[in-house]
Amino acid sequence: MPWIVGVSGASGTPYAAAVLRALLDAGEDVDLVVSRASRLTLLDETGISFRDAHWREDLGDWLARGADGKPDTFEADLGRVRYWNAGDLAAGPSSGSYPVKGMLIVPASTACVAGVALGLSKDLLQRAASVTLKERRPLVVAVRETPLNGQTLRQLVALDDAGASVVPASPAFYAGATHIQHLVDFVAGRVLDAAGVEHGLYRRWKGELGGARDE
């Protein structure tokens, strides 16, 4: 069964790329949903135009790019990826009878958070998230916004009450980050931790002060 990965329009497309690469490296199947708004963000942050008719080529270019913008930094096997258009409300992930392990929304914009919390299902990303909640499957929401107003905070609490894991895109520094990719990978790793997917994206805390600096 695949993991659904939803990419919303918040800034932070390198987070999504890191999560996708790690899922594929772990041998997981992925059902990918890229929102309309996220295509604009992807174009702005990477220069890549994500096109339905050429999604595999564009996804390959995206996942090969490092967080610093350099192309051909990574390799990813896309054979385990299935792409669904965000406007296709008849797609597999729109139904609870479609078997999946769960869903990761990374990054999650405040508009996406609101739509999922309110059950709007205005596109496939929101519908798949609503289905994930109603079927009691794991839903991880990697919200990327600052500052957060009271309305969004209440919506995040509502998602937590509904069973979702809220993972702010908040990098930590105890893992010994020396490059922007390390900070991105930390957030991606915490998203995967919440989903229970094994990975090696960051150094874990071992209870020793300064331990990361000694490695």
Side-chain angles (χ1 to χ4, degrees):
M1 292 191 296
W3 286 95
I4 303 171
V5 176
V7 186
S8 80
S11 176
T13 54
Y15 294 130
V19 165
L20 286 165
R21 285 193 300 264
L23 284 171
L24 296 175
D25 287 345
E28 300 284 354
D29 292 331
V30 171
D31 277 20
L32 177 64
V33 181
V34 179
S35 76
R36 291 180 62 186
S38 70
R39 296 174 189 233
L40 296 177
T41 307
L42 182 64
L43 180 62
D44 181 56
E45 294 184 345
T46 69
I48 295 172
S49 296
F50 196 91
R51 304 160 293 175
D52 288 338
H54 303 279
W55 71 266
R56 192 175 295 275
E57 174 186 350
D58 297 336
L59 179 61
D61 290 344
W62 178 19
L63 298 192
R65 193 175 298 265
D68 57 3
K70 293 181 180 178
D72 302 322
T73 301
F74 297 100
E75 293 183 3
D77 181 3
L78 305 184
R80 292 182 174 271
V81 180
R82 185 171 187 178
Y83 170 70
W84 300 95
N85 184 289
D88 184 4
L89 291 177
S94 69
S95 173
S97 66
Y98 183 77
V100 300
K101 291 183 177 179
M103 182 174 184
L104 317 175
I105 305 177
V106 53
S109 66
T110 54
C112 175
V113 167
V116 176
L118 297 174
L120 297 182
S121 296
K122 73 170 187 176
D123 62 9
L124 180 59
L125 194 159
Q126 292 185 11
R127 171 59 185 168
S130 294
V131 168
T132 301
L133 288 176
K134 80 180 183 70
E135 296 294 329
R136 301 296 192 266
R137 296 167 179 158
L139 174 64
V140 183
V141 180
V143 60
R144 214 305 307 161
E145 185 59 271
T146 190
L148 295 170
N149 62 27
Q151 185 177 34
T152 299
L153 290 169
R154 286 188 289 273
Q155 290 160 349
L156 291 171
V157 170
L159 289 178
D160 179 80
D161 288 342
S165 295
V166 177
V167 181
S170 178
F173 295 85
Y174 63 78
T178 58
H179 188 277
I180 187 175
Q181 188 67 53
H182 298 153
L183 298 175
V184 168
D185 286 347
F186 180 88
V187 171
R190 295 301 287 156
V191 169
L192 295 172
D193 287 346
V197 177
E198 293 186 6
H199 65 87
L201 288 176
Y202 68 89
R203 296 186 181 100
R204 296 187 180 275
W205 176 251
K206 298 179 180 178
E208 299 175 0
L209 294 177
R213 294 195 302 270
D214 296 333
E215 295 185 14

